[in-house]
Amino acid sequence: MSNNRIALYLGNEIYPSAKYNPASTITTLQESPLTSAILCLLNHDTTNNTLVYNDPSNPMYSASGDYIGSKDFPAVCSSLRGGSINEIYMSFSTSGTEFLKKIGTTAASRIFDHLKNIFKVDGIDLDYEGDELWASGSDFSKNGAVYFATDRIVYAGLNSTAAPYCCAGKWQSWVDHVQAMGGTVPWLNLQCYSGGAGNDPNQAQWNVIPAPILGGVDGNESTPKQVYETVTGWQTEAAALPSQPAGPFSGGFFWAYSNIKAKYGEYAESMALGLNP
């Protein structure tokens, strides 16, 4: 399998505002080897009980599932597709994921239908950071927020991905659940930094999951040279493993654009070279 997917978590720089120029950011991204843009993060603004794009200044959805954001944001999102970028995902944080369950099936389904039909996203990323809370099985049960959101995603006809850093067995069960419902997990973003430091996409607990695995790096923790060395190491390890039906190692991702934008081109090229030495 070709290890050529390069994904990037992309924040406020893409939301239309007086502070940022999305068009300039999009040009930079489309001139790079990036394949997969992940817009992040949809958070719960508890003050207004709404879903916002990172900050309260960037509104997105009401508790009824109505779109209350910038009228220009859907077009900006759609215009990301170009150059090597062939897929666009919207990412929900832990609070955003839990917000979906709180507002219920009808409102949550309206949000996903809007993201699919108006924003034209290919899928949803669940950047669920409650892992340490449900390691014993609490919120990650079939009645928890992750499974509630997942079911709405699949019913909307969207792909599903996530960004785990621990509890591989639970994420394997999640992938199995999506696939049993007829949904698709094109890949998983494995955090190999911060709480996931020490993870490797080729480790046994991860490469048995029936979905391709992308290894993640944080620009705050790695230089472009270190990114190249890390990704090259993963590539070498993957080549020595028995072949897996779904991968296992299938590319890399960056957290996050805000951490690397000053040298974004250098970082992106370093990852591309590591994946294709």
Side-chain angles (χ1 to χ4, degrees):
M1 183 174 188
S2 177
N3 298 335
N4 60 0
R5 183 179 262 120
I6 298 177
L8 170 72
Y9 281 90
L10 178 61
N12 286 343
E13 294 85 359
I14 206 68
Y15 192 95
S17 69
K19 185 176 181 180
Y20 295 104
N21 183 351
S24 175
T25 298
I26 289 171
T27 297
T28 297
L29 299 180
Q30 290 180 344
E31 291 176 348
S32 78
L34 180 68
T35 65
S36 312
I38 307 172
L39 280 65
C40 70
L41 293 158
L42 295 189
N43 295 317
H44 180 204
D45 174 15
T46 56
T47 300
N48 299 302
N49 196 31
T50 57
L51 202 59
V52 299
Y53 189 71
N54 283 317
D55 306 317
S57 58
N58 302 331
M60 284 291 286
Y61 293 99
S62 72
S64 299
D66 296 315
Y67 183 66
I68 56 174
S70 166
K71 64 180 178 57
D72 299 320
F73 197 21
V76 168
C77 178
S78 296
S79 67
L80 265 168
R81 226 178 287 271
S84 299
I85 302 173
N86 56 33
E87 54 192 353
I88 301 168
Y89 280 64
M90 186 68 76
S91 184
F92 285 72
S93 69
T94 296
S95 71
T97 304
E98 292 173 347
F99 173 81
L100 293 169
K101 187 174 184 186
K102 291 176 182 176
I103 63 177
T105 299
T106 300
S109 295
R110 290 185 70 186
I111 290 173
F112 289 131
D113 287 341
H114 189 267
L115 288 170
K116 178 183 179 181
N117 297 316
I118 305 302
F119 274 84
K120 307 294 185 183
V121 302
D122 298 281
I124 303 298
D125 171 76
L126 297 178
D127 187 33
Y128 194 80
E129 298 290 347
D131 307 51
E132 68 280 0
L133 301 176
W134 50 252
S136 61
S138 55
D139 188 64
F140 212 66
S141 68
K142 293 293 178 66
N143 295 320
V146 171
Y147 275 85
F148 174 86
T150 299
D151 291 352
R152 305 285 78 73
I153 294 166
V154 174
Y155 291 148
L158 290 163
N159 292 336
S160 306
T161 188
Y165 69 87
C166 75
C167 309
K170 293 189 182 296
W171 285 108
Q172 180 167 353
S173 295
W174 176 79
V175 172
D176 291 341
H177 176 76
V178 174
Q179 294 175 340
M181 291 178 64
T184 301
V185 181
W187 82 92
L188 284 177
N189 293 314
L190 177 64
Q191 298 181 41
C192 302
Y193 51 85
S194 299
N199 280 336
D200 182 320
N202 297 300
Q203 289 169 327
Q205 69 265 37
W206 297 109
N207 69 29
V208 296
I209 295 177
I213 304 292
L214 270 60
V217 296
D218 183 343
N220 279 337
E221 299 180 5
S222 302
T223 65
K225 180 175 184 292
Q226 289 169 328
V227 168
Y228 171 77
E229 292 171 348
T230 296
V231 174
T232 300
W234 290 339
Q235 182 78 291
T236 301
E237 290 173 353
L241 290 172
S243 61
Q244 300 285 328
F249 172 56
S250 301
F253 75 91
F254 288 105
W255 176 268
Y257 185 66
S258 60
N259 293 346
I260 62 174
K261 60 185 178 182
K263 294 184 176 182
Y264 170 73
E266 191 175 348
Y267 273 98
E269 289 297 333
S270 293
M271 182 171 284
L273 287 171
L275 292 171
N276 301 282

